[in-house]
Amino acid sequence: MMDKDIAFVIKSEEEIAARVAELADVLNKQYKDKDTVFIGVLKGSFIFMADLMRKIDLYCDIDFMAVSSYGSGSVTSGQIKITKDLTLDIKGRHVVVIEDILDSGLTLDYLKKYLMTKEPASLSVCALLDKKARRQVDVGVDLIGFNIPDAFAVGYGLDYAQKYRNLPYIGVLKPSVYSK
Ligand code: IMP
Ligand code: MG
């Protein structure tokens, strides 16, 4: 049913699964024997996180945060509010932030600064998608799933007006969907 709204697929289920397994391999090696906390940024990262974590073979903790950015439409205002905070203490621990997509970078920049105030032993970021062309702040990201062109992506956790998150692949909506 949702397929009919998609203009083209950016990343198929198979491509995503293969890349997620590669990312997990990197993290499994990097965080071996380290006290690690994976933090998923809701809601967009929930499917990526669920798939990634099942490939992570570490005695790690998992937590979630939710942030919202003020402003209208699909443009980030840069004013970010934490709507769900951590429940775990990350002081002295190795933190990996799991993000769906890096766009302007403003959300992640804010989040990284906030998390640094909690004094983790280290802080790194793993984002599934990167839209480099739209970056406004030079925020360091350690691990990227895919670089994608500047188009609005939906599926695999990513939404348009809260819909399409449950699409199993990543695609671009037909222009007719926006004008509804
Ligand atoms: P940033 O602060 O501009 O980097 O915005 C990042 C957030 O905006 C992501 O975590 C997404 O929730 C949302 N976002 C940015 N680009 C897209 C997109 O193409 N599709 C869906 N959500 C997006
Ligand atoms: Mg997000």
Side-chain angles (χ1 to χ4, degrees):
M1 191 162 73
M2 290 181 288
D3 284 340
K4 70 172 179 355
D5 298 343
I6 303 299
F8 57 93
V9 174
I10 304 180
K11 296 293 167 194
S12 69
E13 284 186 72
E14 294 73 21
E15 286 174 288
I16 298 168
R19 186 63 184 136
V20 168
E22 287 176 1
L23 296 174
D25 279 349
V26 173
L27 293 167
N28 280 329
K29 291 191 183 85
Q30 197 174 334
Y31 290 93
K32 189 172 186 292
D33 302 325
K34 287 187 173 151
D35 177 19
T36 307
V37 185
F38 289 86
I39 301 175
V41 185
L42 296 172
K43 302 173 196 172
S45 72
F46 83 111
I47 293 181
F48 174 42
M49 179 102 172
D51 283 348
L52 182 73
M53 294 317 298
R54 281 177 287 182
K55 300 274 180 207
I56 295 288
D57 184 21
L58 299 169
Y59 293 100
C60 58
D61 289 10
I62 296 174
D63 206 347
F64 295 94
M65 287 186 74
V67 291
S68 67
S69 63
Y70 295 111
S72 58
S74 57
V75 181
T76 311
S77 65
Q79 279 185 288
I80 288 127
K81 195 177 114 186
I82 293 169
T83 55
K84 188 222 169 295
D85 207 342
L86 293 174
T87 58
L88 301 176
D89 188 1
I90 60 168
K91 186 170 181 171
R93 312 181 72 188
H94 296 275
V95 170
V96 184
V97 176
I98 308 295
E99 258 283 28
D100 52 355
I101 185 167
L102 210 63
D103 190 30
S104 70
L106 292 167
T107 308
L108 193 60
D109 189 53
Y110 177 89
L111 214 52
K112 282 182 84 172
K113 284 176 180 149
Y114 173 75
L115 290 170
M116 283 310 290
T117 68
K118 308 276 180 191
E119 299 175 42
S122 71
L123 178 63
S124 77
V125 178
C126 172
L128 180 65
L129 304 174
D130 188 1
K131 279 201 274 192
K132 266 212 179 78
R134 291 180 43 94
R135 197 75 84 257
Q136 287 178 35
V137 279
D138 184 20
V139 53
V141 184
D142 309 82
L143 208 49
I144 294 286
F146 302 103
N147 287 295
I148 62 163
D150 181 12
F152 197 76
V154 295
Y156 202 72
L158 296 156
D159 72 304
Y160 168 62
Q162 298 301 327
K163 299 295 189 288
Y164 303 100
R165 291 192 197 275
N166 51 325
L167 208 60
Y169 54 87
I170 298 163
V172 169
L173 289 174
K174 290 178 182 166
S176 57
V177 178
Y178 295 101
S179 50
K180 262 179 202 165

